[in-house]
């Protein structure tokens, strides 16, 4: 390939490969992998999904609002209840083990906990958005102490497989709005930078890594007297691949990017065929329903008026830490929450998983997905509004 394109060597080498071909990734190359649906399950036996566990909460209690999920090497499941600021621990059979944390400023307590992160040796890291610290727990629940959290005005750790890098560093995300910082005007915050923040568990050294840049779809909201992100607008979806890289996508196009923590884009993966779904009456009803508890006709009208014509194609990106990336699509032919697209870490499309019918599609919504090599953890609620956590096993 290089012999036929000598003029490209001096800049960025771009290779277009077949979905089943080998992908020559190196430090200087950006590889574009053009996939089609026809390549499904040609590189691996077909997978299926089966729900095998539901968790409703601790003994004599219920979950309030699931704010994060994690699982350790023994398949213990960690559920952060955002309302109580407690982390409930369940074993691999779903039996309750213990409660960690709680609302407060004392040792091992949280004021505004981020999603739990599993560190080396199955230690548990919990960042706090309102307190400048990380709380660390041993596998048996013993509180090991805190690490200082420096210089982060706002941020959050997504529910994802890795918030610990291969080197054992803790990683969280910091969102920065450059326009707001320059002008102090919160009415025009369409542009934002998403920074990975890397923290050494030993020295406490904290590094700000190259950021991702994204511009939100904003609209005037007269009832608020300001501009606001529109409902169903495209989002920046992202996930750590557990091997020192970040996968990310714009929600309005089926195009995945892999980027190193150092900022180099190494892979771009596309999938031919998916088309964006139209905004329909069920989507408008979803907006109306969100105002049932706190009616605000003027604001509801603003949101309905500013709805885009199309919905995002990608609603979520996740990674299992074992070389697979998962995309949760919503297209003109796929209802949100009914399918999961599987890619290899080299950008090759593996196949499309059908989500079991008994699994509520609402489980696959927004930041409530935790992927492992063997199963997914989803957070959702039943028809009565009772939250629960579902484990969906991958059958190969």
């Amino acid at each position: 390939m290089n012999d036929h394109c000598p003029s490209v060597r001096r800049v960025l080498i771009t290779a277009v490969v077949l979905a089943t071909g080998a992908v020559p990734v190196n430090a200087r190359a950006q590889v574009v992998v053009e996939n089609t649906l026809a390549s499904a399950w040609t590189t691996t036996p077909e997978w299926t999904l089966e729900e095998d566990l539901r968790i409703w909460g601790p003994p004599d209690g219920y979950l309030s609002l699931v704010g994060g999920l994690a699982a350790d090497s023994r398949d213990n499941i960690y559920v952060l209840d955002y309302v109580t600021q407690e982390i409930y621990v369940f074993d691999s059979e779903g039996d309750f083990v213990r409660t960690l944390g709680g609302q407060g400023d004392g040792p091992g307590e949280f004021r505004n906990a981020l999603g739990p992160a599993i560190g080396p040796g199955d230690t548990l890291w919990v960042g706090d958005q309102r307190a400048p610290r990380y709380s660390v727990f041993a596998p048996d629940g013993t509180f090991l102490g805190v690490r200082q959290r420096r210089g982060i005005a706002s941020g959050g750790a997504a529910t994802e497989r890795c918030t610990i890098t291969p080197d054992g560093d803790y990683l969280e995300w910091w969102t920065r709005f450059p326009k707001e910082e320059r002008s102090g005007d919160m009415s025009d915050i369409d542009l934002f930078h998403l920074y990975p923040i890397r923290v050494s568990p030993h020295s406490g050294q904290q590094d700000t890594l190259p950021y991702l840049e994204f511009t939100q779809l904003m609209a005037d909201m007269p009832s608020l007297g300001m501009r606001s992100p529109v409902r169903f607008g495209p989002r920046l979806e992202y996930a750590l691949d557990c091997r020192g890289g970040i996968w990310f996508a714009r929600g309005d196009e089926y195009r995945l990017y892999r980027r190193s923590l150092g900022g180099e884009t190494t892979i771009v993966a596309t999938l031919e065929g998916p088309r964006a779904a139209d905004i329909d009456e069920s989507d408008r009803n979803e907006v109306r329903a969100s105002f049932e508890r706190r009616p605000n006709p003027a604001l509801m009208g603003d949101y309905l008026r500013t709805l885009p014509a199309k919905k995002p194609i990608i609603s979520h990106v996740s990674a299992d830490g074992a070389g697979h990336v998962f995309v949760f699509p919503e297209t003109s032919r796929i209802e949100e929450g009914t399918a999961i697209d599987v890619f290899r870490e080299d950008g090759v499309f593996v196949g499309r998983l059908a989500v079991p019918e008994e699994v509520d599609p609402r489980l696959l919504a927004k930041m409530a997905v935790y992927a492992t090599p063997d199963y997914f953890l989803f957070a959702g609620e039943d028809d009565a509004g009772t939250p629960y956590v579902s484990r969906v096993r991958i059958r190969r």
Side-chain angles (χ1 to χ4, degrees):
M1 178 185 66
N2 296 346
D3 293 338
H4 298 291
C5 305
S7 62
V8 182
R9 292 180 189 163
R10 296 190 298 272
V11 288
L12 188 66
I13 303 173
T14 301
V16 180
V17 301
L18 298 176
T20 56
V23 183
V25 179
N26 60 56
R28 297 185 298 124
Q30 181 190 68
V31 177
V32 178
V33 186
E34 296 180 339
N35 297 284
T36 69
L37 287 171
S39 63
W41 309 118
T42 57
T43 59
T44 186
E46 185 171 356
W47 302 356
T48 58
L49 296 177
E50 178 185 2
E51 184 184 41
D52 70 346
L53 179 65
R54 285 193 179 186
I55 295 173
W56 295 93
D60 302 321
Y62 294 94
L63 300 173
S64 303
L65 176 63
V66 177
L69 297 167
D72 62 21
S73 65
R74 298 166 295 169
D75 292 330
N76 291 319
I77 298 171
Y78 298 79
V79 182
L80 167 64
D81 190 311
Y82 190 77
V83 174
T84 65
Q85 291 292 289
E86 294 175 319
I87 295 178
Y88 304 125
V89 186
F90 303 87
D91 66 18
S92 61
E93 301 299 319
D95 294 326
F96 179 75
V97 177
R98 66 178 66 91
T99 298
L100 302 174
Q103 186 77 46
D105 295 308
E109 296 177 333
F110 320 120
R111 296 178 62 191
N112 194 344
L114 304 171
I118 305 300
D122 281 343
T123 55
L124 180 72
W125 279 60
V126 185
D128 199 319
Q129 295 192 81
R130 292 187 182 177
R133 66 187 183 188
Y134 307 95
S135 297
V136 184
F137 299 85
D140 63 1
T142 302
F143 177 60
L144 298 178
V146 300
R147 307 291 187 273
Q148 187 174 0
R149 187 169 182 254
R150 299 187 180 94
I152 303 177
S154 62
T159 290
E160 55 184 326
R161 176 62 177 170
C162 293
T163 38
I164 302 292
T165 69
D167 296 330
D169 294 335
Y170 179 89
L171 199 71
E172 67 171 300
W173 303 95
W174 173 30
T175 303
R176 175 175 172 264
F177 299 95
K179 290 183 180 180
E180 174 198 348
E181 292 181 5
R182 288 197 299 266
S183 65
D185 184 3
M186 285 292 292
S187 67
D188 192 18
I189 55 173
D190 55 338
L191 172 68
F192 69 83
H193 295 163
L194 185 73
Y195 287 87
I197 304 292
R198 182 171 58 194
V199 182
S200 168
H202 307 295
S203 66
Q205 179 179 346
Q206 190 167 293
D207 299 317
T208 302
L209 304 176
Y211 60 80
L212 304 175
E213 182 173 289
F214 186 72
T215 301
Q216 303 179 90
L217 181 61
M218 306 280 287
D220 291 326
M221 299 287 177
S223 60
L224 292 176
M226 59 185 293
R227 301 174 75 233
S228 178
V230 304
R231 294 287 182 94
F232 301 110
R235 300 180 301 272
L236 178 64
E237 305 296 338
Y238 53 92
L240 299 169
D241 67 4
C242 310
R243 304 189 185 203
I246 301 168
W247 285 92
F248 64 95
R250 288 181 53 96
D252 56 351
E253 60 180 5
Y254 208 121
R255 186 178 296 268
L256 290 170
Y257 299 85
R258 187 193 186 275
R259 181 174 174 175
S260 69
L261 292 178
E264 179 190 21
T265 300
T266 56
I267 296 175
V268 179
T270 66
L271 183 61
E272 182 182 358
R275 296 290 183 268
D278 294 331
I279 296 289
D280 58 22
E281 193 60 25
S282 66
D283 301 311
R284 296 183 182 90
N285 288 335
E286 182 179 326
V287 174
R288 296 182 182 106
S290 67
F291 287 91
E292 288 180 354
R293 294 183 179 179
R294 296 184 179 179
N296 187 330
L299 183 57
M300 181 177 70
D302 285 344
Y303 277 117
L304 290 172
R305 174 182 55 80
T306 58
L307 289 178
K310 302 285 186 179
K311 288 188 282 190
I313 293 178
I314 295 177
S315 63
H316 191 77
V317 175
S318 193
D320 67 358
H324 294 102
V325 183
F326 304 104
V327 174
F328 298 76
E330 180 180 11
T331 72
S332 57
R333 296 185 179 181
I334 301 174
E335 181 183 351
E336 182 182 15
T338 62
I340 303 173
D341 289 341
V342 184
F343 290 80
R344 293 194 326 224
E345 62 183 347
D346 57 10
V348 171
F349 177 64
V350 175
R352 176 163 289 169
L353 284 165
V355 177
E357 291 184 3
E358 64 270 18
V359 177
D360 190 331
R362 289 173 296 181
L363 291 172
L364 305 190
K366 323 321 183 239
M367 304 293 287
V369 181
Y370 185 88
T372 81
D374 300 310
Y375 55 84
F376 296 97
L377 297 176
F378 301 125
E381 57 184 36
D382 64 10
D383 292 337
T386 304
Y388 65 94
V389 173
S390 174
R391 185 176 67 193
V392 178
R393 185 75 60 177
I394 300 172
R395 304 297 185 189
R396 294 175 170 87

